[in-house]
Amino acid sequence: MEFEIDQARFLSALALAQTVADKRSNNMPILANVLLRTTKDNRLVCSATDMMISITESIPVEVKTPERSPSASARSTTSSAPCRASRSG
């Protein structure tokens, strides 16, 4: 997926999700990550959980290239997905 987003809003959403993502989870490394997905109505959804608490924030975004289908390999999707942030004046 490729999108344009206000950098300040994106960093704010990531910082909020990072408060829940558990960096010390040795048993379930997936909990140390933040899920990013775009919606059809041009929103970016940032989600994280530590299995006790979950948080989701949705922010406006201009989607340039929609995300791949769920059947695509997660590894190839995350390793090749560029993230372009734009600053608003």
Side-chain angles (χ1 to χ4, degrees), residues 50-85:
D50 67 359
M51 299 299 285
M52 299 282 286
I53 300 170
S54 65
I55 191 164
T56 300
E57 185 167 356
S58 174
I59 51 179
V61 67
E62 183 181 334
V63 178
K64 300 289 187 178
T65 306
E67 58 188 47
R68 296 180 187 179
S69 68
S71 63
S73 165
R75 175 166 282 177
S76 67
T77 301
T78 55
S79 65
S80 66
C83 177
R84 296 182 181 154

